[in-house]
Structure formats: C-alpha cells, structure tokens
Amino acid sequence: MTGKNTVIGVDLGGTNIRAARVTGNRIEKEIQTPVPSSPQTAQETMDALITTIRHICDPETEAIGIGVPSVVDREKGIVYNVVNIPYWDEVPLKEILEKQFAVPVYVDNDANCFALGERYFGVGQEFDNFVGLTLGTGLGGGIIQDGKLIAGANCGAGEFGMLPYKDHILEYYCSGSFFKNIYNTDGKEMFRLAQNGDSAALSAYEEFGKYVAAAIKIVMLAIDPEMIVFGGSVAKAHPLFEKSMYKHLADFFYPKSVERLQIRFSRLQNSGLLGAAGVALSGITG
C-alpha cells in the first residue's frame, strides 16, 4: 500500500512533539521533545518543532505530515486555536515548514490523521470505505470514502462527537469524559477498578457500551461504511464494553447492515505518528 516512499510524521501535542521518519511500513527513526512549558511567544514552540524535525529529516524525505488537535485549513495548512499550545491561535504551519525544509508539508487534525494512519498502515488497508473513531478525552472521527479522506469544507467532516445527543452532545457520553461527567471518576482509575473486578466499574463500562453503540448507529445512518475502526486510549478497554456495545446494536433499524458492518479496534502501536505519516503519503500519492 505505502510502497517505499520516505516521509516524516509529526504528532504535535500539548506536552510533547513526537516525530518519526517512515519508509514503507517501517519507522526508521523516532524522536520526542517537550513542548515549551511556558512559552512567551508562538515562535518558541515553532522553534522546538523545527528543531525536532531537523533531527530526523534527510535527503530522502519526500514530504512531512503533521497532526494537530485543532481546526485546520487543509489547503493552506493554517492551524487555528491549537489545544494546549499558547499563542497558536492562527499559525500558517505549512508555509513556515515548507520554507524551512523545501518539501511538501500536509497538515490535518488528529482524528483525520488516525483514519489515514489506518488506511495506510492498519486495518483500513482492507477497506475503501470506512470511518475511524477516536475514543480518548473526546470523540473524534475521520471518514475514508473510495480510499480517500473526506474532510469537508472546514475540516469538520466526521466530528460525530459534536452532534447533539440527549441533554448534551455525543462526546459527553461517548468518550473518556463519560466517566468524569457521570461518575466523577478519572477514566484510568475506572479502568483499574474494572480490571480488579469492581462491580460498579464494570457496570459503568456496560453503560458506556450503550453509548458507543449509539455512536455506531449515527455513523451507519450518516455514512453507511463497510467498517468502523476505533482507536484512542479508551478503545484499549474494549473487552470491558464490547459485549454491551453489540447488545445495544441489536435494535438498529436495519439489522442486515449491522450484520455486514465490520467493527475493528486499532492494532497500531504508534497511531499518532503513523497517522501523520499517512497524511504525508496521502498528499504525495493522491
């Protein structure tokens, strides 16, 4: 699927900058540096990003892909209001980095990166039409149709977590925030309790499965994909909610669609980095 193109994938978070040089399906070199903790200007974080990329960029590098937790103008490569990075309210990331490294730079939000990462490196290689859903602190989504990402006019396609649901939005119930919102307990602590057989925690995950099923129903009605793949920190706990999830899919309007739908959980170990690399590969291979 990926051939032997060499690209750099960058996962830009609020705490760390992770970057990797990827050739084919293999990460050749990886580096992690901290994001400046109390920057006084946007340039401080930009300088840290440029330095990180420079450590692994070589003459074989054909493109750079960057995943950011923000709204993105994908065509111009401008990021807006990046989560947890001060002063990054409007940054022309593509323009700045292309001047620095003289290769094409492609920027996308982290949920779209996840979907592209699965398309190029994960279970999405088997499907041309699927949706990637990230279950983390929030609920993000990316849509692959006919083998290509659908991002929408404002990089907002696939943002199922923002849909109105019950008395809040879907993300309120179908993400790691659910455990804090409903049970006032950190998701990691809830997972620990459930692993130890705590009945209340196990019940919480059973309830969570109901809301994951609701998200799946919404995706099926809106997109009707061949497959849905879940990633993110909460998805790793799927043995605790998977049975409940399937139970609550049983009343879907179109049972044959549920029968045919493939539901997978990501096996990628470096999904953020590989997802960003997938953005670069998508840009240069079309």
Side-chain angles (χ1 to χ4, degrees):
M1 182 73 186
T2 59
K4 290 296 181 181
N5 299 99
T6 296
V7 299
I8 289 175
V10 182
D11 183 11
L12 179 59
T15 304
N16 293 299
I17 302 166
R18 297 177 64 221
R21 187 171 65 243
V22 179
T23 298
N25 290 309
R26 185 168 62 90
I27 292 179
E28 294 184 324
K29 187 175 182 180
E30 182 179 345
I31 185 172
Q32 176 174 303
T33 57
V35 172
S37 58
S38 300
Q40 299 303 306
T41 66
Q43 190 62 42
E44 288 181 51
T45 303
M46 181 62 69
D47 289 342
L49 174 61
I50 290 169
T51 300
T52 302
I53 296 173
R54 189 167 285 131
H55 278 302
I56 58 171
C57 191
D58 65 11
E60 302 299 315
T61 300
E62 299 175 57
I64 298 170
I66 302 183
V68 293
S70 74
V71 175
V72 179
D73 181 326
R74 298 175 73 242
E75 182 178 345
K76 297 179 180 178
I78 301 172
V79 298
Y80 299 94
N81 307 112
V82 180
V83 177
N84 293 325
I85 298 184
Y87 308 110
W88 276 43
D89 300 321
E90 183 175 339
V91 178
L93 196 53
K94 175 182 174 71
E95 178 184 347
I96 292 169
L97 294 181
E98 286 186 343
K99 287 180 180 177
Q100 286 286 330
F101 297 101
V103 297
V105 174
Y106 302 93
V107 187
D108 219 318
N109 73 32
D110 45 8
N112 284 344
C113 285
F114 169 68
L116 283 168
E118 290 295 331
R119 174 60 177 164
Y120 283 97
F121 303 102
V123 297
Q125 295 178 83
E126 305 171 37
F127 303 92
D128 287 332
N129 299 283
F130 71 90
V131 171
L133 293 179
T134 56
L135 290 175
T137 305
L139 172 65
I143 302 167
I144 302 293
Q145 193 166 81
D146 295 328
K148 300 185 184 302
L149 178 73
I150 294 178
N154 301 292
C155 202
E159 293 298 326
F160 302 103
M162 297 297 103
L163 290 171
Y165 180 74
K166 293 169 72 72
D167 53 340
H168 289 281
I169 56 176
L170 184 60
E171 181 177 274
Y172 186 92
Y173 296 94
C174 188
S175 71
S177 300
F178 163 77
F179 301 105
K180 187 68 174 178
N181 294 335
I182 305 301
Y183 292 95
N184 197 31
T185 301
D186 178 80
K188 290 182 180 179
E189 174 64 11
M190 189 68 83
F191 179 72
R192 185 190 68 79
L193 291 170
Q195 289 286 83
N196 291 331
D198 182 87
S199 59
L202 291 170
S203 178
Y205 273 102
E206 184 174 346
E207 183 182 2
F208 183 70
K210 176 176 70 174
Y211 297 125
V212 175
I216 291 171
K217 291 174 183 178
I218 289 170
V219 170
M220 291 178 71
L221 289 170
I223 307 299
D224 192 24
E226 300 172 84
M227 185 268 290
I228 295 174
V229 55
F230 286 96
S233 56
V234 181
K236 295 176 183 177
H238 67 88
L240 295 169
F241 63 78
E242 197 169 359
K243 182 178 179 180
S244 172
M245 176 189 79
Y246 280 109
K247 173 186 174 183
H248 287 95
L249 285 174
D251 63 353
F252 188 64
F253 305 109
Y254 307 115
K256 194 67 177 178
S257 297
V258 174
E259 182 183 324
R260 296 181 64 185
L261 177 69
Q262 297 286 318
I263 299 175
R264 306 284 183 88
F265 293 90
S266 178
R267 298 190 296 269
L268 294 179
Q269 296 301 309
N270 294 284
S271 58
L273 288 175
L274 291 174
V279 169
L281 286 167
S282 178
I284 62 177
T285 62

